[in-house]
Amino acid sequence: MNQRGDGFVGVFDSGVGGISVLRALVDELPHEDFRFFGDSANAPYGEKTEAQVLELSRDITERLLAAGAKAIVIACNTATSVAAKTLRAAHPDVPIVGIEPALKPAARALPHGTVLVMATEVTLRLEKYRELVRAWGGECEVIPVPCPGLAARIERGDLDGADLAAMLEGYVGAYAGKVDGVVLGCTHYPFVRRRIAEILGADVRFFDGGAGTARQLRVRLTDAGLLAGRDRPGRVEFASSLDTPEELALYERFFSLSC
Ligand code: DGL
């Protein structure tokens, strides 16, 4: 017999970044089935227009819902900033959970600290980001650091190259020894956290929105009576708009890296 909680949770991002969130979701809700869609053919979202990001997000959400998703996680700060409100208005009965730069936990942990917010250009230029800083930045000095090109570079999969180190140095090198915390406000960036720490120093604390998003999904599924009732571990499936075996292997590799 079908139960309400039987469906899967659809999770999407512009590409591999959302896999850092997927890991947090699986850790928090190990009995749920997840279907992850990475729009790698259209990445990066953070350098597109808002209208383009909205259209892509709408299209993916509708396809996941048509395939039977019981809830949606927008595992992308950029798409959340642009599209979450519109998607929720279009699908009021579906739990739709987004992600935002984890400034709230950062400002709580470092009340008078200096905190970098690394994110895409789109995320940092929208009013939603300014509201976040006003609401939760507290007494922190909050420094936005747009990182054009970084998500696209991470999409290539090789996380050890000297070119990547040079890129990161360009974004944050000037802050070495001068900051207390870094908010990784793009879901791709947790995959280069260690490389950023090498530049900024071992004492710098990192924050990302994965765990908070996972807790929020648990609340929303519980409230809607949609939590999976099964005992077996949930399944995780990957799909990509770059539908090649190499791309899907890359997703699996990033999923194991995120352990
Ligand atoms: N991973 C996404 C984010 O959290 C978008 C990166 C991109 O495609 O530019 O913002």
Side-chain angles (χ1 to χ4, degrees):
M1 188 179 68
N2 268 3
Q3 307 271 332
R4 279 199 82 209
D6 275 356
F8 64 89
V9 177
V11 182
F12 76 91
D13 179 36
S14 63
V16 295
I19 295 170
S20 65
V21 182
L22 180 65
R23 170 59 64 191
L25 300 173
V26 171
D27 287 350
E28 176 74 24
L29 294 160
H31 297 293
E32 295 295 338
D33 288 343
F34 292 99
R35 196 171 294 181
F36 177 83
F37 182 83
D39 196 8
S40 294
N42 292 304
Y45 281 8
E47 292 155 45
K48 290 193 155 32
T49 66
E50 285 149 58
Q52 287 170 320
V53 175
L54 178 59
E55 207 36 56
L56 292 164
S57 303
R58 192 173 3 226
D59 188 50
I60 295 167
T61 299
E62 278 166 12
R63 277 188 285 127
L64 286 168
L65 291 175
K70 64 180 177 180
I72 299 289
V73 175
I74 311 171
C76 174
N77 292 266
T78 308
T80 300
S81 302
V82 171
K85 234 187 222 167
T86 307
L87 296 177
R88 288 184 185 124
H91 305 284
D93 299 332
V94 179
I96 297 183
V97 176
I99 188 165
E100 63 183 14
L103 184 58
K104 184 176 170 183
R108 280 200 178 142
L110 303 164
H112 298 280
T114 302
V115 175
L116 302 184
V117 180
M118 299 175 70
T120 68
E121 292 170 295
V122 170
T123 297
L124 293 175
R125 78 167 174 250
L126 291 178
E127 179 57 24
K128 193 169 188 303
Y129 171 72
R130 286 189 285 279
E131 279 167 17
L132 184 74
V133 176
R134 275 197 297 274
W136 302 112
E139 302 293 307
C140 283
E141 186 187 355
V142 181
I143 304 174
V145 181
C147 303
L150 183 54
R153 174 61 186 79
I154 293 167
E155 283 289 307
R156 279 171 37 199
D158 151 36
L159 300 178
D160 290 319
D163 65 312
L164 180 55
M167 246 180 144
L168 294 172
E169 178 70 31
Y171 304 129
V172 300
Y175 300 107
K178 297 181 189 153
V179 295
D180 305 293
V182 177
V183 173
L184 299 171
C186 165
T187 57
H188 282 67
Y189 303 170
F191 291 110
V192 291
R193 180 191 324 242
R194 185 177 50 80
R195 309 294 307 268
I196 300 168
E198 282 165 8
I199 297 169
L200 289 178
D203 294 343
V204 171
R205 294 187 54 186
F206 284 84
F207 303 87
D208 70 62
T213 299
R215 285 193 298 272
Q216 181 63 14
L217 177 64
R218 172 187 285 285
V219 169
R220 296 296 307 280
L221 290 179
T222 305
D223 289 352
L226 287 172
L227 269 183
R230 59 182 81 94
D231 289 333
R232 66 161 172 81
R235 299 190 185 96
V236 178
E237 288 172 13
F238 294 96
S240 173
S241 52
L242 271 188
D243 193 12
T244 62
E246 293 75 22
E247 192 63 15
L248 294 175
L250 183 72
Y251 286 14
E252 299 274 3
R253 182 160 73 77
F254 271 65
F255 190 56
S256 58
L257 277 180
S258 64
C259 279

